Amino acid sequence: MSLRNALRAGTSDCHADVDALFGRFDLGRKADYRAFLSAHARAVPAVEIALENSGIERLIPDWHERRRRDLLVDDLAALNAPLPPSLAAPDMPDDASLLGAVYVLEGSKLGGAMLAKAVGDGLPAAYLSPFGPKGGMKAFMDMLDASGADEATAVEAARAIFALFHKAAAMELEMAAS
């Protein structure tokens, strides 16, 4: 099985769970959209920084074109929303862990491109807008499959990133409900 298929199969339950949780935000409503972005801001910057501290540029030389935390911070600022405290990113001690984490972030870009259509008029959506190197997703998937990275370790890391997103969304939904 290719690494991309192992990651897809090994995280499908997490992916569905996180999608369902984030699906509770109405992106057409400013308050919900702000909470949605805040949930992402609890996870994405921490994960991206952890990846960089672990040397992701060694594996993905165009990493600086792929990261999105600055766009996320800019969208929150445009909504006059403070940057929430980050959750702690899991350790990423090896290449397989790094690739598993990036798999989740890169996949969230695809979902973000579809979600951007639901963002209310006049609300900032740079974070959800498609961007990055041309052909970047295909290049990443090809690199995954050629990496020889340990599948179980990559899946475990991806599941940990999905769990971080789950926790972030649950925190924002709980705060909105109170």
Side-chain angles (χ1 to χ4, degrees):
M1 178 181 297
S2 68
L3 183 53
R4 85 175 81 182
N5 288 335
L7 282 161
R8 185 178 302 120
T11 63
S12 63
D13 60 328
C14 298
H15 192 174
D17 182 49
V18 167
D19 279 355
L21 201 55
F22 274 99
R24 293 173 50 192
F25 295 98
D26 178 353
L27 304 186
R29 293 185 57 239
K30 185 177 181 177
D32 274 15
Y33 183 55
R34 183 175 39 241
F36 171 90
L37 290 176
S38 291
H40 280 254
R42 290 180 182 279
V44 171
V47 173
E48 287 186 352
I49 290 167
L51 286 163
E52 290 163 14
N53 289 340
S54 296
I56 192 62
E57 291 94 351
R58 179 178 46 78
L59 296 175
I60 304 175
D62 62 0
W63 171 253
H64 67 281
E65 295 177 57
R66 294 172 180 271
R67 64 182 185 201
R68 299 184 292 162
R69 68 180 177 265
D70 294 337
L71 298 171
L72 180 55
V73 168
D74 290 348
D75 282 354
L76 282 168
L79 293 169
N80 295 315
L83 191 62
S86 289
L87 297 171
D91 289 334
M92 297 177 221
D94 51 44
D95 290 356
S97 297
L98 295 171
L99 294 174
V102 174
Y103 171 83
V104 177
L105 294 182
E106 287 293 301
S108 76
K109 286 182 190 177
L110 294 178
M114 293 190 309
L115 292 174
K117 298 171 188 167
V119 173
D121 290 339
L123 297 176
Y127 172 69
L128 294 178
S129 299
F131 76 95
K134 186 169 177 68
M137 180 57 88
K138 181 182 180 334
F140 174 69
M141 291 298 175
D142 291 345
M143 190 269 297
L144 269 182
D145 290 343
S147 71
D150 181 72
E151 290 178 8
T153 302
V155 168
E156 181 182 336
R159 291 181 68 83
I161 301 303
F162 275 117
L164 195 67
F165 274 96
H166 181 277
K167 182 176 181 179
M171 288 173 75
E172 290 297 327
L173 288 166
E174 184 178 313
M175 288 177 17
S178 47

